Amino acid sequence: MTITKQQIEAHGLKLDEYKKIKDLLGREPNLLELGIFSAMWNEHCSYKSSKLHLKKLPTKNNIVIQGPGENAGVIDVGDNDAIIFKIESHNHPSFIEPYQGAATGVGGILRDVFTMGARPIALMNSIHFGSPENNKTKSLLSGVVSGIGGYGNSIGIPTVGGETKFNSTYNENILVNAMAVGHANKNKIFYSKAKGINKPVVYVGSKTGRDGIHGATMASAEFDDNSDSKKPTIQVGDPFTEKLLLEACLELMKDNSIISIQDMGAAGLTSSSVEMASKGKLGIELNLNKIPCREKNMTPYEMMLSESQERMLIVLNDGKEETAKKIFEKWDLDFVVIGKTTDSKKLVLNFNNDKVADIPIAALSEKAPLYNRKWVKSKISKNKIKIKDLKKIKVEDALIKILSSPDHSNKNWITNQYDQVVMCDTIQKSGGDAAVVRIHKKEKAIAIAVDSSANYCKADPKSGGKQIVSENWRNLISVGAKPMAITNCLNFGNPEKPEVMGEFAECIEGIKEACQYLNFPVVSGNVSFYNETNSKSIFPTPVIGGIGLINKLNKEINIKIKKPGNLLIVIGKTIGHLEQSAFLHENFSIYDGPPPEVNLTNEKNNGLVVLKLINDKLVLSAHDVSSGGILTALAEMSISSGLGLKIYKPQKLTNYFEYYFGEDQGRYLLEISKNDLKKIENFLNKNNIFFEIIAEVQKDIFELEKVFNIKTKDLYNYNDQWYNKFNAIN
């Protein structure tokens, strides 16, 4: 048959890409081969528009065992312990079918982690929705949260935190980014690289259905008014089967049975077989008649492109088939030898005694298109807020407006739907700067934080990129953890548009600079392009997931202030940067001007000094200063504990709003005992760290001297009331 132009376009390929396919094959592909090329050459699998920029990111240091290029990143945290982690997007599926889209996003990221030999210990997420007034927002939010909770709770992995944000830029293109963290023995890490000739290739897990066909291709295209028609491309997850698969894989991993292992995620059996062969410089031959199917009369095309969940592909050592089979059958899972490794360096597919596909592996991997897309620098607004305009509002009213806004309100109504303590190792749940999870049966713990700042990245992509990494660094330090490494999920619009590609390139540059300076490498991640509908793009939204190490339990701290009479000090200078602040957004609907400057020297110096104070047990509680400024951060500390604060006027106050709501970077709030003040002052002065005494803890009144006072319980109520208003919409 002759491939038509319509078929080429339906597979998400350009005409020049199709010509390249014919050149690589030396002939015209059949429809199955076209589908395979479509799956492997889309943005989701090939990174054809992003790879050149991603290469700039720092990915190595003395603790990195495995950086980008595998299912997940791996770092060494001492005592033969490794932490395996990754964050990935499931944006398009979650918009089309919120529950299953979010649920399978969780399932997919968990497989990325346990495929490498880790037992998952925690989940996190970063989810972004449109304006609360948008008629789709409520149902999308409800579906996504239910999907995240439904999958995580059922499989028995704690969802320990994350972030939920709202902005009209996501009205037609929500973001659902899922992060998983696992623990493994650093000497028992499993990889996807196939080795050896004539080794058995084994299919394990669930049966293959017709769900998810063209899922990866769909994720590499923008939406239009007909996006609902793409529902058949959404995978259906089964957390109970995934639990069985997890346990079976971990049991098999106890001996030397496995040569390589790869989960069937995006592009299903196609991507898993090609990636294993490509990394091993080998070929793979499969007999598709042996694929376990749950639907009748499935075609080779459907089998190869299905994204049915809870499936793995394994290359076994010789003679290990029976051992492995017994394990998977014990867990009531399919186990079928469907092929073998070869020296052909080709993907060869057989069906009904016919060869139905014959493609060089290199054509699907290293010879895939690689684009150096045109990009333009973003225009950075230099507009400054005029102070006279700020007199229209009282400080107290401005604070209440921020605390009761969608982004800053209490999110317990979301996180309470997640089991945060299953496995009994959760030390700190959601609600603080970072979650803390103990490494099972060990005297150390892992801190996990997820951060994004789309407004900053839109205003100045490079500065915004630096800021997100820096905030993640601060959040980990604020719970007493040494920052170790990050994973990223880079959510952008159409890369074929120079302005979007410019946002991406500049964000990468900012992330690179911050990671290099802070020795905070990127070890895994994901790029999600084409997040736009009817040519309207989302704001650039890179999400950073960070891991920190607490090497001794009981050294961790939280944001809850502890005792009346204690002092709060602020580390780092306050200049009073209001442009792009929550204060202007929530009180004046102003989205103009540049984001705050990020001084990486100050970030590093301030952070390391704060960590030393925490490790020396001189800090009783801590909180980084970010969105909403000092006053919002103080209020969050007060709300979390039920205690009040008497807030002092700073010595060099020029303007209440600038000082208390400015979002200058590199700052921390620390609760200390008065008895330790002199010791701390001497230490900070010795290290040239700027600090100010800003407040004293008191019983139940939150007050700014001679300006306002609010009962702490009322402060909590302001922070808690948004959900009721949201629930009344529509």
Side-chain angles (χ1 to χ4, degrees), residues 63-67 72-76 82-85 116 186 189 191 523-524:
I63 64 148
V64 176
I65 296 173
Q66 175 64 54
V74 187
I75 59 172
D76 186 344
I83 295 298
I84 298 177
F85 63 105
M116 298 195 69
K186 77 171 188 179
I189 307 299
Y191 300 95
V523 299
S524 60

Side-chain angles (χ1 to χ4, degrees), residues 287-298:
N287 182 351
L288 301 187
N289 290 96
K290 294 185 176 183
I291 303 294
C293 296
R294 66 168 182 261
E295 299 180 51
K296 292 181 180 180
N297 302 318
M298 288 190 67

Side-chain angles (χ1 to χ4, degrees), residues 625-673:
V625 180
S626 53
S627 180
I630 285 177
L631 197 59
T632 303
L634 288 168
E636 289 168 346
M637 295 180 81
S638 190
I639 290 167
S640 70
S641 63
L643 291 172
L645 289 170
K646 184 177 182 179
I647 304 165
Y648 307 136
K649 293 180 183 177
Q651 294 179 354
K652 296 181 180 179
L653 177 67
T654 56
N655 178 278
Y656 279 116
F657 301 104
E658 288 181 322
Y659 187 87
Y660 288 112
F661 296 109
E663 295 183 5
D664 307 290
Q665 300 294 291
R667 296 179 298 164
Y668 300 79
L669 289 167
L670 308 180
E671 180 190 7
I672 64 171
S673 167

Side-chain angles (χ1 to χ4, degrees), residues 429-631:
K429 303 187 290 185
S430 58
D433 289 313
V436 179
V437 179
R438 180 174 68 120
I439 296 178
H440 193 59
K441 296 183 178 180
K442 299 289 181 82
E443 288 299 308
K444 58 187 177 184
I446 299 299
I448 315 162
V450 171
D451 293 285
S452 65
S453 187
N455 287 325
Y456 284 2
C457 290
K458 183 63 177 176
D460 184 340
K462 183 177 178 180
S463 180
K466 286 196 285 187
Q467 188 276 334
I468 310 165
V469 174
S470 300
E471 184 176 353
N472 195 267
W473 161 275
R474 293 197 302 273
N475 281 329
L476 295 171
I477 286 175
S478 295
V479 298
K482 179 183 178 183
M484 303 293 280
I486 69 168
T487 180
N488 58 34
C489 195
L490 308 172
N491 307 278
F492 290 79
N494 186 342
E496 298 166 49
K497 296 178 178 178
E499 62 274 17
V500 171
M501 201 64 214
E503 291 171 344
F504 180 81
E506 291 182 280
C507 274
I508 289 289
E509 190 64 29
I511 293 170
K512 179 196 79 172
E513 286 187 16
C515 287
Q516 282 179 334
Y517 196 86
L518 298 173
N519 192 23
F520 204 25
V522 181
V523 299
S524 60
N526 167 235
V527 177
S528 177
F529 278 136
Y530 296 97
N531 289 290
E532 58 181 68
T533 298
N534 293 325
S535 296
K536 186 178 180 181
S537 175
I538 64 164
F539 282 3
T541 313
V543 175
I544 301 295
I547 296 292
L549 175 65
I550 299 171
N551 58 17
K552 190 72 176 174
L553 291 181
N554 301 319
K555 281 192 175 182
E556 78 281 353
I557 58 171
N558 54 40
I559 72 169
K560 295 181 179 179
I561 47 182
K562 302 299 186 294
K563 188 173 121 180
N566 288 341
L567 299 176
L568 266 79
I569 62 174
V570 58
I571 301 292
K573 281 188 179 180
T574 299
I575 299 169
H577 188 102
L578 284 177
E579 287 73 35
Q580 295 299 332
S581 67
F583 168 75
L584 291 183
H585 297 168
E586 304 300 345
N587 289 282
F588 298 93
S589 297
I590 295 174
Y591 297 82
D592 198 10
E597 179 188 352
V598 179
N599 185 314
L600 292 173
T601 301
N602 289 345
E603 287 285 359
K604 190 172 188 175
N605 293 345
N606 292 354
L608 293 178
V609 163
V610 168
L611 188 59
K612 177 71 165 66
L613 290 173
I614 293 172
N615 286 335
D616 289 346
K617 295 189 176 295
L618 293 171
V619 179
L620 303 168
S621 67
H623 191 17
D624 88 303
V625 180
S626 53
S627 180
I630 285 177
L631 197 59

Side-chain angles (χ1 to χ4, degrees), residues 47 49-59 68 488 490 504 508 522 525-527:
Y47 292 86
S49 297
S50 58
K51 192 177 288 185
L52 290 175
H53 296 277
L54 295 175
K55 288 179 178 179
K56 300 174 184 178
L57 295 172
T59 59
N488 58 34
L490 308 172
F504 180 81
I508 289 289
V522 181
N526 167 235
V527 177

Side-chain angles (χ1 to χ4, degrees), residues 186-214:
K186 77 171 188 179
N187 299 312
K188 291 286 287 184
I189 307 299
F190 291 82
Y191 300 95
S192 58
K193 180 180 178 180
K195 298 177 184 177
I197 307 301
N198 289 321
K199 303 297 183 183
V201 176
V202 182
Y203 173 120
V204 300
S206 289
K207 288 180 169 56
T208 295
R210 291 188 171 95
D211 56 318
I213 294 172
H214 285 306

